[in-house]
Amino acid sequence: MKQSLFLRIFSYTFLGIGTLFILGPIFLTVSVAMKSRAETTKSFLAPPSGLYLDNFIAVINKANFWSIFQNSVFITLVSLLLMLIAIPMVSYAVSRNSNQMYYRFVYTLILLGIFVPFQAIMLPIYRHMSNLELLNQGGLIIMYLTLSFSQGLFLCVGFLKNIPLELDQASKIDGCGVWLTFTRVIYPLMMPILATILVLNSLWIWNDFQLPLIMLNRHPDYWTLPLFIYNFKSEVSFDYNLAFAAFTLSMAPISILYVFTQRYIIGGLTEGSIK
């Protein structure tokens, strides 16, 4: 009994400390963003005395913020749409033909991408996309789709292995071909794992800095929000209020999305293992 009580106290203490490490920087960012320069100079760590929104207005008016925001939304949505179409299709083909050497080879080859660090392929990506004249938003979307395949295929194939083959056979008896079986029977059953892929990749694409830096930084009209923050911070390096207001505006949409969809990250993974 005492050991159980001790473990509970230790667990809650550990979780509390972890929560402080997560919420502390967020609170500091929002706090500084909502204070005037004089208030920040007086006390950097103190909470704001009121709802001061001039910093946010200055960030939006000073730069082409809404256009850059639309760039991030467009790139994220199109990339996710292509992922939710291509990854399940390839995963279904691989999972239902895993006894054939060709499909096993393709599956293994794609999974090897998980072990390749991005830093090792930065220069080849830049040179290859430059030769193809794809240093633009379209090229960036292609790269997001390509780089998401390793993790997405691994998750989807593992999920599909828990869906019995009898469903495919039953739909075939009812007159469905491979395409109808996939779209009408299998794809709806994949929604839990697809939701997991959607949340994970939306967080990655929205917050990604490295790929946009090497592919879009030369064209301000193509910037995403992380690039905007990077260049805006350089301009206002001594104005912490404006810089932190820009940070808050950038992280607010994806933070709200994560709050409402975080349960799908674990839910999709665990549901696949007990289906």
Side-chain angles (χ1 to χ4, degrees):
M1 186 68 180
K2 292 183 178 179
Q3 184 178 6
S4 176
L5 179 61
F6 172 78
L7 289 176
R8 289 181 60 186
I9 294 174
F10 176 78
S11 299
Y12 283 115
T13 303
F14 182 78
L15 290 174
I17 295 173
T19 302
L20 289 177
F21 274 106
I22 295 173
L23 296 181
I26 296 177
F27 169 78
L28 181 63
T29 301
V30 177
S31 175
V32 174
M34 298 182 65
K35 292 192 291 188
S36 64
R37 189 178 303 180
E39 193 175 358
T40 303
T41 304
K42 182 178 179 181
S43 178
F44 187 82
L45 298 178
S49 58
L51 194 64
Y52 186 78
L53 302 178
D54 288 1
N55 294 322
F56 298 100
I57 297 173
V59 171
I60 294 174
N61 293 334
K62 186 173 183 178
N64 196 14
F65 179 82
W66 289 118
S67 177
I68 295 171
F69 179 83
Q70 291 173 7
N71 289 342
S72 284
V73 172
F74 172 77
I75 292 172
T76 302
L77 291 181
V78 175
S79 300
L80 292 175
L81 177 62
L82 293 176
M83 291 175 192
L84 295 180
I85 295 174
I87 293 176
M89 293 172 63
V90 176
S91 301
Y92 178 65
V94 170
S95 65
R96 292 306 190 250
N97 298 278
S98 58
N99 58 332
Q100 299 184 28
M101 183 177 298
Y102 170 75
Y103 287 95
R104 291 202 303 269
F105 172 76
V106 171
Y107 180 59
T108 304
L109 182 64
I110 295 177
L111 284 190
L112 288 177
I114 296 177
F115 304 101
V116 180
F118 179 78
Q119 291 76 11
I121 59 175
M122 283 177 59
L123 182 58
I125 285 177
Y126 176 80
R127 295 187 63 179
H128 186 62
M129 300 305 282
S130 178
N131 292 334
L132 294 174
E133 297 184 358
L134 285 174
L135 293 178
N136 50 40
Q137 294 179 345
L140 183 61
I141 291 171
I142 292 173
M143 288 309 307
Y144 280 138
L145 176 63
T146 303
L147 296 175
S148 68
F149 247 94
S150 296
Q151 182 193 62
L153 188 68
F154 174 74
L155 294 175
C156 286
V157 170
F159 187 89
L160 286 168
K161 287 181 178 178
N162 293 291
I163 298 179
L165 288 171
E166 286 76 11
L167 289 176
D168 300 58
Q169 297 169 356
S171 63
K172 185 176 182 180
I173 293 174
D174 290 337
C176 293
V178 176
W179 177 249
L180 288 178
T181 299
F182 172 71
T183 55
R184 296 188 179 182
V185 179
I186 302 301
Y187 195 86
L189 294 175
M190 295 179 65
M191 288 303 169
I193 197 64
L194 293 181
T196 300
I197 292 174
L198 178 69
V199 175
L200 291 175
N201 284 290
S202 62
L203 292 171
W204 164 48
I205 296 172
W206 186 271
N207 294 315
D208 185 42
F209 173 71
Q210 291 181 316
L211 261 179
L213 178 65
I214 65 176
M215 296 185 64
L216 303 179
N217 198 39
R218 295 188 302 172
H219 305 283
D221 293 338
Y222 295 159
W223 283 354
T224 59
L225 281 175
L227 278 183
F228 166 76
I229 295 299
Y230 170 72
N231 290 282
F232 184 78
K233 179 179 176 294
S234 301
E235 296 177 7
V236 295
S237 56
F238 296 102
D239 195 330
Y240 293 103
N241 300 97
L242 290 183
F244 277 67
F247 299 157
T248 304
L249 288 173
S250 177
M251 71 180 186
I254 201 65
S255 299
I256 295 172
L257 174 67
Y258 179 76
V259 167
F260 288 101
T261 59
Q262 59 171 324
R263 60 191 180 94
Y264 292 110
I265 297 178
I266 302 300
L269 298 175
T270 55
E271 188 167 338
S273 63
I274 61 175
K275 185 174 281 293

